[in-house]
């Protein structure tokens, strides 16, 4: 992102500009790669010549001028920040309003519940925010803004790396940090010592004329560019993740398995560019689920062990491998991750018809209602049953299960511990038509008791037939209609979330690189240093040390003071009587604004003398 840089005098009238102003501007040139922003344009076409040719030429110049101006605005900092802000605002409805790509059923429910807002949201694309025209436009403009800023600044930065620091300004005492003294050492000796010291302090330094020019802090701009490139990487990774992601859930009972195909999921969400062939081919079987819980204390019932032992294989002919999936320790297979997200119980029941024939034997998963695994669900016998008269029917049982019976509440049981200490299964029996063949989707964990074709079995008092069963007990259906047995084999089930989201690694790398680049651009200072050594009017060498930073910093005077002290060790201040007279002459010369570079600096200022530091871009008066 580009930003406006202050002009340090380029627009001053030459007649009124102070002496050395242009020289000082050259010394501070290219301390940053941020382009200078132009003002709001007037007419780019200039004076229009008469005739059609003049009008055409004027129109072309005007069009090109406005296009260049709009391009500068698009690649400016304020527009990039505005686009980032709009992007964050645009993501808000995508989080608050149901989306077609993730839950189309909730979208339809929202439209039915909000007959006025629904059509408006639909026209605005709020039910598919991330694929809408306006969100895509913001996203693309942000890309263009960042790329349009990075490319020219990168080339400019490469050019700065290949170039040398500029020559010293004629009047170094105009710079923010400055020190000077007089010495008996030869100018060449001073410059050689300064060059050696600067290189030891990792400055890029060279001798230019009568001074040594050096520069340091290039990593500041490198960090700035790295930050912007990382933003692009993160945006690309985010876009790929949203467009190609898949996310589904599967409930698996101990002993059952799963293959990563679309038909195997209980529910499934995907990005707009998802393809069935992009699913990673693998399968796994839940061998055993292990859950242990705190038995006493204030954390009673809290899970201590929560893990699923699985056997998985890659592809169709992969070698079986074992893995224990724990919370936050998923199974990873070629970019797909399998997370353990839930757990419950699946009581095994056996249903027999009136003749004693087993028509149903299965572990039925029930959904927990609380932290103590009080669970409910439905047992549906859809095929193979005939009533005592030989008529085909379907059976349904409303099931309520507690792993540790804690007593009877208001018409229901409750569990006092999530472990299998005292399991009880409560059942309510129904017969008739479950409605599963009507073509209308229904919840597999609920019975549609409002269905007029589904009738309850009744007891002697005319109430719905209900019973509470311990493991091994059986409930008999009235009229010789059969029975249902609560087997002693109580299995457990685990809920898994299978996620594929490409670009996560790139997003993480981009985030880390962005932080590193931001730290570099904030804490590294770009600065230039000059050490001049020339003979004074009396033949005594005058040494000047000055520095200029990209921004105001208290560290720059300290660094110049340290550098001046090191050079001073090689070329100490002259202290005899001749130095005193020379100092007086040099001081007089320093007050003369038209004095030459050899006598324009005040030689009586020592390396540790305090120097006022003006703000960035401000010239010393």
């Amino acid at each position: 992102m580009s930003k406006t840089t202050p002009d340090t005098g380029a627009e001053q009238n030459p007649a009124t500009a102070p002496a050395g102003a242009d020289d000082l501007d050259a010394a501070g040139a290219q301390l940053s790669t941020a382009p200078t922003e132009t003002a709001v344009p007037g007419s780019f076409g200039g004076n229009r010549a008469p005739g059609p040719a003049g009008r055409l030429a004027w129109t072309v110049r005007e069009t090109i001028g406005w296009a260049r101006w709009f391009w500068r605005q698009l690649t400016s900092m304020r527009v990039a920040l505005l686009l980032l802000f709009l992007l964050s605002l645009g993501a808000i409805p995508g989080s608050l309003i149901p989306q077609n790509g993730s839950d189309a059923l909730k979208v339809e429910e929202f439209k039915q519940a909000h007959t006025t807002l629904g059509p408006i949201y639909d026209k605005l694309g709020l039910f598919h925010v991330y694929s809408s025209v306006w969100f895509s436009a913001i996203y693309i403009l942000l890309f263009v803004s960042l790329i349009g800023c990075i490319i020219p600044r990168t080339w400019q930065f490469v050019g700065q790396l290949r170039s040398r620091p500029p020559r010293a300004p004629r009047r170094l005492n105009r710079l923010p940090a400055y020190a000077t003294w007089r010495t008996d050492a030869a100018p060449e000796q001073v410059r050689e010592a300064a060059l050696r010291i600067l290189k030891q302090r990792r400055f890029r330094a060279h001798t230019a004329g009568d001074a040594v020019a050096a520069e340091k802090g290039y990593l500041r701009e490198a960090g700035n560019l790295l930050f912007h490139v990382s933003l692009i990487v993160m945006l690309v990774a985010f876009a790929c993740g949203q467009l190609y992601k898949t996310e589904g859930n599967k409930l698996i009972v101990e002993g059952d398995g799963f293959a990563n195909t679309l038909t195997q999921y209980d529910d499934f969400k995907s990005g707009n560019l998802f393809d069935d062939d992009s699913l990673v081919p693998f399968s796994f079987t839940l061998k055993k689920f292990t859950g242990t819980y705190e038995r006493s204390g204030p954390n009673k019932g809290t899970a201590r062990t929560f893990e699923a032992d699985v056997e998985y294989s890659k592809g169709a002919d992969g070698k079986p491998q074992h893995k224990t999936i724990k919370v936050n320790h998923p199974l990873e297979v070629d970019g797909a991750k399998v997370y353990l997200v839930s757990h419950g119980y699946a009581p095994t029941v056996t249903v027999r018809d009136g003749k004693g024939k087993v028509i149903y034997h299965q572990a039925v998963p029930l959904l927990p209602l609380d932290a103590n695994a009080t669970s409910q669900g439905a047992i549906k016998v859809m095929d193979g049953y005939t009533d005592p008269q030989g008529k085909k029917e379907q059976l349904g049982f409303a099931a309520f299960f507690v792993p540790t019976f804690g007593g009877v509440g208001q018409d229901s049981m409750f569990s006092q511990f999530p472990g299998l200490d005292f399991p009880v299964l409560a059942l309510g029996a129904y017969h008739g038509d479950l409605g599963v063949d009507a073509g209308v989707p229904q919840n597999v964990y609920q019975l549609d008791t409002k269905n007029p074709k589904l009738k309850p079995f009744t007891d002697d008092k005319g109430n719905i037939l209900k019973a509470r069963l311990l493991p091994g007990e059986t409930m008999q259906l009235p009229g010789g209609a059969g029975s249902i047995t609560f087997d002693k084999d109580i299995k457990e089930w685990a809920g898994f979330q299978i996620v594929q989201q490409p670009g996560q690694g790139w997003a993480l790398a981009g985030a880390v690189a962005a932080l590193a680049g931001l730290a570099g651009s904030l804490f590294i200072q770009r600065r230039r240093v000059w050490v001049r050594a020339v003979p004074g009017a009396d033949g005594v060498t005058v040494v000047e040390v000055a520095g200029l930073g990209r921004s105001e910093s208290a560290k720059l005077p300290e660094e110049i003071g340290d550098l001046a002290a090191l050079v001073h060790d090689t070329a100490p201040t002259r202290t005899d009587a001749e130095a005193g007279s020379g100092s007086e002459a040099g001081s007089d010369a320093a007050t003369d604004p038209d004095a030459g570079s050899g006598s324009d600096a005040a030689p009586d200022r020592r390396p540790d003398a305090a120097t006022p530091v003006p703000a960035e871009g401000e010239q010393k008066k």
Side-chain angles (χ1 to χ4, degrees), residues 350-360 385 395 474 477 481-485 487:
T350 301
V351 180
R352 296 177 173 84
D353 61 12
K355 299 179 181 180
K357 178 183 177 182
V358 176
I359 58 173
Y360 185 90
Y385 175 75
L395 297 179
T474 299
L477 301 180
S483 64
I484 179 171
T485 301
D487 297 340

Side-chain angles (χ1 to χ4, degrees), residues 393-470:
E393 279 190 326
Q394 295 175 332
L395 297 179
F397 300 89
F400 201 85
F401 175 79
V402 291
T404 301
F405 184 72
V408 180
Q410 295 180 352
D411 299 327
S412 64
M413 302 183 300
F414 66 92
S415 175
Q416 62 181 4
F417 189 74
L420 281 173
D421 292 349
F422 186 13
V424 176
L425 177 66
L427 298 172
Y430 296 81
H431 67 101
D433 184 2
L434 296 173
V436 295
D437 300 323
V440 179
Q442 63 175 235
N443 194 330
V444 296
Y445 301 103
Q446 289 181 349
L447 285 178
D448 185 10
T449 56
K450 296 182 180 180
N451 180 6
K453 296 181 180 181
L454 185 64
K455 301 177 182 179
F457 285 103
T458 57
D459 56 17
D460 296 338
K461 298 181 181 180
N463 298 321
I464 298 175
L465 181 65
K466 296 181 180 180
R468 291 194 185 97
L469 306 177
L470 296 175

Side-chain angles (χ1 to χ4, degrees), residues 239-434:
C240 291
Q242 291 297 317
L243 293 174
Y244 294 97
K245 74 174 182 178
T246 63
E247 179 182 312
N249 294 284
K250 180 64 177 179
L251 185 151
I252 303 176
V253 180
E254 288 177 327
D256 292 344
F258 167 81
N260 194 23
T261 59
L262 198 58
T263 56
Q264 289 277 299
Y265 285 93
D266 294 334
D267 60 82
F268 185 80
K269 304 174 185 177
S270 64
N272 295 328
L273 299 181
F274 163 74
D275 185 0
D276 292 356
D277 296 334
S278 62
L279 287 175
V280 176
F282 72 93
S283 60
F284 69 89
T285 301
L286 176 61
K287 293 298 183 179
K288 181 177 178 57
F289 178 88
T290 303
T292 60
Y293 309 91
E294 190 69 36
R295 288 272 175 189
S296 60
N299 295 322
K300 181 181 179 180
T302 303
R304 292 305 181 193
T305 304
F306 199 75
E307 57 189 34
D309 294 325
V310 301
E311 183 179 86
Y312 73 98
S313 60
K314 301 180 182 179
D317 303 319
K319 181 180 178 181
Q321 303 178 62
H322 293 274
K323 170 74 174 180
T324 299
I325 305 177
K326 302 178 182 179
V327 178
N328 297 326
H329 292 81
L331 167 66
E332 298 188 32
V333 183
D334 295 339
K337 294 184 179 181
V338 182
Y339 294 91
L340 177 62
V341 295
S342 58
H343 155 259
Y345 292 99
T348 302
V349 296
T350 301
V351 180
R352 296 177 173 84
D353 61 12
K355 299 179 181 180
K357 178 183 177 182
V358 176
I359 58 173
Y360 185 90
H361 176 74
Q362 189 171 327
V364 183
L366 305 179
L367 301 182
L369 302 176
D370 56 28
N372 287 326
T374 302
S375 307
Q376 71 174 5
I379 303 171
K380 299 181 180 182
V381 182
M382 294 177 285
D383 299 306
Y385 175 75
T386 56
D387 64 9
Q389 290 76 34
K391 180 182 177 182
K392 290 185 177 181
E393 279 190 326
Q394 295 175 332
L395 297 179
F397 300 89
F400 201 85
F401 175 79
V402 291
T404 301
F405 184 72
V408 180
Q410 295 180 352
D411 299 327
S412 64
M413 302 183 300
F414 66 92
S415 175
Q416 62 181 4
F417 189 74
L420 281 173
D421 292 349
F422 186 13
V424 176
L425 177 66
L427 298 172
Y430 296 81
H431 67 101
D433 184 2
L434 296 173

